[in-house]
Amino acid sequence: MAGLEKTFSESWHHVADQRICLRASVKVHKQFFRGEKWYVLHDPFNNHFFRIRPEVHEFVMRLRPDQTVEQVWEACIAKNPETSPGQEEIIQLLAQLYFANLLYHELPPDSAKLFKRYCQRKQRELQSRLKTIMFIRLPLFDPENLLRKWLPAIRLLVSPLAGAAWLVVLLLSAKIAIDHMDTMVSQAQGILAPDNLIYLYIGLILVKVFHEFGHAIVCKKYGGEVHTMGVMFLIFTPLPYMDATSSWSFRSRWQRALVGAAGMIFELFIAALAVMIWAATGPGIINSIAYNMIFVASVSTILFNANPLLRYDGYYILSDILDIPNLHSRSFLQLKYLLEHYIFGCRDSFSPAQSLKEAWWLSLFGILSSMYRIVVFTAIILFIADRFLIAGLIMASICLISWGILPFFRFFQ
């Protein structure tokens, strides 16, 4: 069993006598990370996912309205005294499940508590939106029925034969690009010219539509569901997006990684076709749009999608390949532990890592992702401020408060 500081909590009396359990709608999926078993709690109503360890899963599955939380915890301690979660961990877990409305209890509803919880959730959603002010999402429709109708074609698209065709097209386009490299480089100098911006945006839209459908198609191929597609305002620029988080419940990490890479795979295929169209056409609208699609696919893939230091496709692929769940959040918990333990001398602080190797990965990722995020967003803000000074200053102020002052204040507190 963990030490007393982890096993017992002064706040235990708040939850000890509660009689609660998971809602009947919650689905549980089993996964493996680094050979260790994990469980994913999935709420189909709000599409939220929670990964928990087996010992925590056993505690959650034992929760019943006819037993108190303390009785369930004592039963777990009696069965597995060495691995059962401590009171503090249970309190944090129940708080997360409570705020996500995943818990059921037989007590009559307290309107004041329900309203307080509603306000707290709205406040957290507002804070999250302020932190992602440059990445606002607006859902528009549910593509699930459409994907079900397309399922026979989807099976053909995600197959070894389709993979071979994809590779052939990429090799042919690579040869064409090499043969015309001088022309491609010289044309890139006018990519931000005022008369090219409309073509750049059209190319961006076309590439990203195929990118998002790529995620949806591969997710559907392996049994996932896609219920949200809409518009994301990336730096106030409308772009398509979709929600393929149902792939998080896949047991195979390679299937999850393939869903994450699917957008870039489709994007590269469209860029390869655009290379052929660009080389076969002369100056004009079609040629300009094709070239801008090539530019968008290469730049966005390298700087954002394929880069694991930002929470885009590359991040989720890396998390699955390394078998480290919740890589982003745990990396910052690891950095917090290092500061508390080695700078402030707090001996009660504990690392979220399960091994020395995982601690090394978490520390490295936390440092590199923080540095890269600062560099990228600073460059974006400077680019916006150079053209729209007021908008740039507003964005810089919001980012400074959300990512600098508030996190530092909370950590210092």
Side-chain angles (χ1 to χ4, degrees), residues 198-237:
I198 183 63
Y199 300 128
L200 179 62
Y201 181 67
I202 293 174
L204 180 63
I205 291 292
L206 292 174
V207 168
K208 292 308 172 185
V209 165
F210 283 100
H211 180 103
E212 299 305 321
F213 268 103
H215 287 305
I217 286 170
V218 177
C219 182
K220 191 61 186 175
K221 157 71 176 179
Y222 294 114
E225 295 184 354
V226 181
H227 288 287
T228 303
M229 295 194 78
V231 176
M232 175 177 67
F233 291 87
L234 179 62
I235 319 176
F236 309 115
T237 303

Side-chain angles (χ1 to χ4, degrees), residues 305-351:
N305 288 321
N307 196 315
L309 299 179
L310 294 175
R311 294 185 69 180
Y312 294 108
D313 298 340
Y315 161 77
Y316 295 104
I317 296 170
L318 178 66
S319 180
D320 287 321
I321 292 176
L322 294 179
D323 258 357
I324 302 179
N326 305 322
L327 177 60
H328 180 267
S329 58
R330 294 177 67 204
S331 68
F332 285 96
L333 288 176
Q334 174 69 10
L335 295 182
K336 179 181 177 183
Y337 156 74
L338 294 176
L339 288 172
E340 289 179 346
H341 188 78
Y342 293 103
I343 303 300
F344 295 104
C346 181
R347 302 304 172 188
D348 294 335
S349 181
F350 293 91
S351 170

Side-chain angles (χ1 to χ4, degrees), residues 96 106 167:
Q96 292 177 338
E106 293 184 336
L167 183 60

Side-chain angles (χ1 to χ4, degrees), residues 246-266:
S246 63
S247 63
W248 294 359
S249 62
F250 294 170
R251 290 190 179 185
S252 170
R253 60 171 171 165
W254 300 111
Q255 290 181 357
R256 297 194 300 271
L258 185 57
V259 172
M264 292 180 286
I265 293 173
F266 276 67

Side-chain angles (χ1 to χ4, degrees), residues 61-352:
M61 292 298 102
R62 284 174 174 264
L63 290 173
R64 301 198 308 269
D66 60 345
Q67 287 190 334
T68 65
V69 171
E70 184 162 24
Q71 289 173 334
V72 174
W73 180 69
E74 290 175 347
C76 291
I77 288 290
K79 182 178 180 181
N80 298 304
E82 297 295 330
T83 59
S84 292
Q87 292 179 351
E88 188 64 34
E89 184 177 359
I90 289 176
I91 292 173
Q92 294 177 3
L93 172 68
L94 294 180
Q96 292 177 338
L97 298 178
Y98 173 80
F99 282 112
N101 285 325
L102 296 179
L103 293 180
Y104 167 81
H105 57 85
E106 293 184 336
L107 296 176
D110 186 329
S111 299
K113 289 184 177 180
L114 289 177
F115 181 73
K116 181 180 179 181
R117 179 167 58 175
Y118 172 80
C119 293
Q120 289 173 331
R121 291 193 65 184
K122 287 298 180 181
Q123 184 179 11
R124 289 193 303 168
E125 290 176 2
L126 178 60
Q127 291 174 350
S128 177
R129 288 175 182 173
L130 289 175
K131 290 180 180 179
T132 57
I133 188 68
M134 293 188 293
F135 307 97
I136 301 173
R137 293 185 173 186
L138 179 64
L140 296 179
F141 72 101
D142 184 344
E144 178 61 22
N145 291 333
L146 183 63
L147 291 172
R148 288 176 182 174
K149 294 178 181 179
W150 288 357
L151 199 53
I154 288 174
R155 294 193 180 101
L156 181 61
L157 281 174
V158 188
S159 65
L161 180 62
W166 176 86
L167 183 60
V168 169
V169 171
L170 253 65
L171 291 175
L172 289 175
S173 66
K175 182 182 183 305
I176 294 173
I178 293 172
D179 293 339
H180 297 79
M181 184 58 65
D182 293 340
T183 306
M184 295 188 75
V185 172
S186 62
Q187 193 169 343
Q189 296 177 0
I191 199 71
L192 294 179
D195 59 344
N196 185 64
L197 292 181
I198 183 63
Y199 300 128
L200 179 62
Y201 181 67
I202 293 174
L204 180 63
I205 291 292
L206 292 174
V207 168
K208 292 308 172 185
V209 165
F210 283 100
H211 180 103
E212 299 305 321
F213 268 103
H215 287 305
I217 286 170
V218 177
C219 182
K220 191 61 186 175
K221 157 71 176 179
Y222 294 114
E225 295 184 354
V226 181
H227 288 287
T228 303
M229 295 194 78
V231 176
M232 175 177 67
F233 291 87
L234 179 62
I235 319 176
F236 309 115
T237 303
L239 294 172
Y241 89 98
M242 54 78 61
D243 183 3
T245 51
S246 63
S247 63
W248 294 359
S249 62
F250 294 170
R251 290 190 179 185
S252 170
R253 60 171 171 165
W254 300 111
Q255 290 181 357
R256 297 194 300 271
L258 185 57
V259 172
M264 292 180 286
I265 293 173
F266 276 67
E267 194 171 298
L268 287 175
F269 182 77
I270 296 302
L273 295 179
V275 169
M276 298 178 182
I277 296 173
W278 170 80
T281 57
I285 296 177
I286 301 299
N287 184 272
S288 297
I289 293 176
Y291 183 82
N292 281 279
M293 291 176 68
I294 300 168
F295 180 83
V296 167
S298 57
V299 172
S300 66
T301 298
I302 294 173
L303 292 182
F304 294 99
N305 288 321
N307 196 315
L309 299 179
L310 294 175
R311 294 185 69 180
Y312 294 108
D313 298 340
Y315 161 77
Y316 295 104
I317 296 170
L318 178 66
S319 180
D320 287 321
I321 292 176
L322 294 179
D323 258 357
I324 302 179
N326 305 322
L327 177 60
H328 180 267
S329 58
R330 294 177 67 204
S331 68
F332 285 96
L333 288 176
Q334 174 69 10
L335 295 182
K336 179 181 177 183
Y337 156 74
L338 294 176
L339 288 172
E340 289 179 346
H341 188 78
Y342 293 103
I343 303 300
F344 295 104
C346 181
R347 302 304 172 188
D348 294 335
S349 181
F350 293 91
S351 170

